[in-house]
Amino acid sequence: MLEIVDGRGQETPVHIARPRAPRRATSAEEAVRQIVDSVRLRGDAAVVEHALRLDGVRLRPDELRVDPDAVVKARALVRPELVDALEVMAERVRATSERQLPQPWIDRRPDELVGELVRPLRRVGVYAPGGRAAYPSTVIMAAIPARVAGVGTIAVATPPRPDGSVPESVLAACAVAGIDEVYRVGGAQAIAALAYGTEHVRPVEKVVGPGNQFVTLAKRLVAGWVGTDADAGPAEVAIVAGEGASPDVLAADLVAGAEQGPLGTHALITWIPALADAVCAALEHEVLVHPRGDDVESALVEGGRAVLVRDMRHALDTANSFAPEHLQLSFDGARDALPDVRSAGAVFVGPLTPVAVGDYVGGTNHVLPTGGAARFSSGLGASDFVKRIYVSGLERTALERMAPHVEALAEAEGLPGRARALRARLGDA
C-alpha cells in the first residue's frame, strides 16, 4: 500500500511527491468566479440559488441565519461527553492563544517616539466545513484565538444538511465558543457572502477556516477585499520513525491520516528498512478493520510513502524539505531532535503523542499550512486576528537631526516633494 522510496544513496533530502488532482482547475476557477461574482452583485438571491443548485437545499433568504436560540439549545441536544470535550478543547486552545499575541510598545525619547499599536479586527468569519462529516472542532480552533485577540464579533458559516438543518454538534461548539451568529450556507457562496455581505449576512474583515477546492478558490478571489488565512489542502502527515517505534502504532497513525480523504500524503520516513516492512504488513490489518477500508486503502495507494533514508539526520532533513502539515517524531530521544525541526505545521513528539490529540485537545491549533506552505507560514493563532499599526512622532530637534538623511534619500529616489514637506516644517521651504 505504501510506495517505497529509497533515498539512502543520496546526500540531499529525499523528495516526497504529493498526489495531484487531475487538471480541472480552469473550469473550477471559472465556476467559483461566477459564484462569487453573483453573490457580490445579487446578494441573498444568489446565495439561495446556489444552495439549491449545488447542494439541493431549499431556503428562503430569511432562513440563512440559524435562530440564536437554537444555538443555545444545541448544548442540551448532544452528548454531555461532547460538550465536556469541546470545553476542554476551548480551554487548552485559549491557554496557547494567550501566549501568541504581540504586545504594543512605544519607545519614548526626549524629542521623538516610535512604536506599534496592536488592534483586534472588528468582525471575523469562520468557515466550518461539512460534507463528509461535521467539524465542531474547527469552530473552536478558529473562534477561540479570535476571542483571545479581542475580535468584536464572530460569525460562522457551515454547510447545512439536505433538509436545511445544521448539525447539533457544530451548533454546540458555537455555543461553547460564545457565538450566536451562524449561517446555514456552504461552499464558495458562503465565502462570498461573508466577504461582501448580503441582505441577511453581515460582511466581515477576515475569513478563516478550511474547506474544499471551491472554498479555497473562493478565498483566493476575495483576498484583498477581506483578509484570509492560508489555503487548506488535503491532509498530510510525515512520521520520522526509528528505534523504539511500534509498527502497529505507526500503521494506525497512517490510517488516521488517510481516512480524511483523497489526495493526502501519508509518509513514513525511516532509516530502518525492517521497520518499513513491518509497517506495510501491519497496514493490511488496520485497513481491513476500518469501517471505510476501501476509501482508506485508495488514499494510501495514492499518497502513501515509505521513505528510506541513511540516518536520523537525513530523515529530519527530508521532513524539513517536505514541510508537512503534521510531523510526528517516533524514535528514542525525539525531544532532543526538536531544535532540528525547521518546517512543519505542528510537531508531535514521542510515541504517546498522536496527531489526533493535537487535532482536538492537545492545546495546539489544527488549522495548519499544507502543500509545503509550512516552509513560510504558520498555523492559525491569536496573532492572525490583530493588526500592528506603526506610530511615529517627532519634535523639532528630532526632525532637524533627520532632515539631511530624508533629503538625501528623497533626492536619490526622485521624490523632491518629500524633501519640500520636511523643509516646510522647518521654515526652509
Side-chain angles (χ1 to χ4, degrees):
M1 254 174 276
L2 301 182
E3 176 187 350
I4 305 297
V5 181
D6 193 342
R8 289 173 291 179
Q10 65 185 70
E11 296 294 326
T12 57
V14 182
H15 174 68
I16 301 175
R18 288 177 164 89
R20 298 297 180 191
R23 180 60 184 172
R24 294 191 296 266
T26 301
S27 59
E29 288 167 0
E30 181 55 32
V32 170
R33 185 179 300 277
Q34 291 179 8
I35 293 170
V36 169
D37 286 346
S38 67
V39 172
R40 177 173 58 85
L41 296 172
R42 298 195 294 116
D44 285 345
V47 172
V48 298
E49 175 185 300
H50 295 308
L52 180 60
R53 180 174 64 88
L54 299 174
D55 302 322
V57 179
R58 187 180 299 276
L59 295 170
R60 300 189 312 269
D62 61 358
E63 294 175 319
L64 291 176
R65 181 170 176 176
V66 176
D67 185 342
D69 288 341
V71 178
V72 175
K73 293 175 181 176
R75 290 180 67 124
L77 298 178
V78 299
R79 292 171 32 236
E81 295 87 350
L82 175 59
V83 175
D84 290 344
L86 291 169
E87 290 178 341
V88 169
M89 182 192 307
E91 183 53 40
R92 292 180 66 86
V93 171
R94 183 179 294 109
T96 299
S97 299
E98 287 171 348
R99 295 174 175 266
Q100 296 175 329
L101 287 175
Q103 297 301 309
W105 60 275
I106 299 289
D107 183 5
R108 300 180 186 274
R109 304 173 188 176
D111 59 355
E112 68 170 300
L113 64 84
V114 63
E116 289 181 338
L117 307 177
V118 176
R119 298 289 185 264
L121 302 182
R122 294 179 304 167
R123 184 169 162 77
V124 165
V126 172
Y127 186 81
R132 287 178 173 268
Y135 294 96
S137 59
T138 295
V139 174
I140 301 296
M141 291 290 178
I144 295 301
R147 285 274 181 238
V148 170
V151 171
T153 308
I154 302 170
V156 169
T158 191
R161 299 183 180 110
D163 64 359
S165 64
V166 172
E168 289 79 8
S169 60
V170 173
L171 295 181
C174 291
V176 169
I179 298 169
D180 66 6
E181 186 176 342
V182 182
Y183 298 99
R184 54 180 109 240
V185 55
Q189 60 269 29
I191 303 304
L194 289 170
Y196 298 118
T198 71
E199 295 88 338
H200 285 84
V201 181
R202 291 174 54 206
V204 300
E205 295 176 334
K206 188 168 188 174
V207 180
V208 302
N212 62 15
Q213 179 189 23
F214 287 84
V215 169
T216 297
L217 291 172
K219 286 164 68 175
R220 291 178 189 172
L221 286 175
V222 302
W225 182 260
V226 294
T228 61
D229 57 348
D231 289 354
E236 298 174 347
V237 62
I239 305 174
V240 176
E243 296 80 3
S246 162
D248 292 336
V249 169
L250 297 180
D253 290 337
L254 291 169
V255 167
E259 72 178 354
Q260 296 182 67
L263 298 178
T265 307
H266 320 289
L268 170 69
I269 306 171
T270 184
W271 51 96
I272 305 176
L275 179 60
D277 293 339
V279 171
C280 289
L283 275 174
E284 299 289 340
H285 173 72
E286 284 297 320
V287 170
L288 183 65
V289 300
H290 195 280
R292 292 186 284 108
D294 289 345
D295 291 341
V296 170
E297 182 175 7
S298 295
L300 287 170
V301 169
E302 180 181 56
R305 312 281 186 261
V307 183
L308 301 178
V309 293
R310 297 190 316 277
D311 50 30
M312 184 182 73
R313 168 61 57 186
H314 196 201
L316 291 171
D317 287 345
T318 294
N320 283 323
S321 177
F322 180 59
E325 176 187 22
H326 306 98
L327 173 61
Q328 207 165 302
L329 304 181
S330 296
F331 52 87
D332 293 340
R335 291 193 180 195
D336 296 333
L338 274 177
D340 297 316
V341 174
R342 298 189 307 275
S343 298
V347 187
F348 303 89
V349 186
L352 297 179
T353 315
V355 170
V357 170
D359 277 347
Y360 294 137
V361 295
T364 56
N365 204 296
H366 78 200
V367 182
L368 301 169
T370 59
R375 292 178 296 113
F376 51 80
S377 63
S378 309
L380 192 67
S383 60
D384 292 297
F385 298 101
V386 299
K387 302 172 292 184
R388 294 179 298 110
I389 304 171
Y390 289 119
V391 178
S392 178
L394 305 177
E395 300 296 335
R396 184 178 183 87
T397 53
L399 186 59
E400 290 173 343
R401 188 170 62 248
M402 297 180 185
H405 308 307
V406 173
E407 290 178 338
L409 290 164
E411 179 182 357
E413 295 187 352
L415 300 169
R418 295 189 174 188
R420 183 171 176 81
L422 183 147
R423 290 195 297 269
R425 286 170 167 76
L426 297 176
D428 298 332

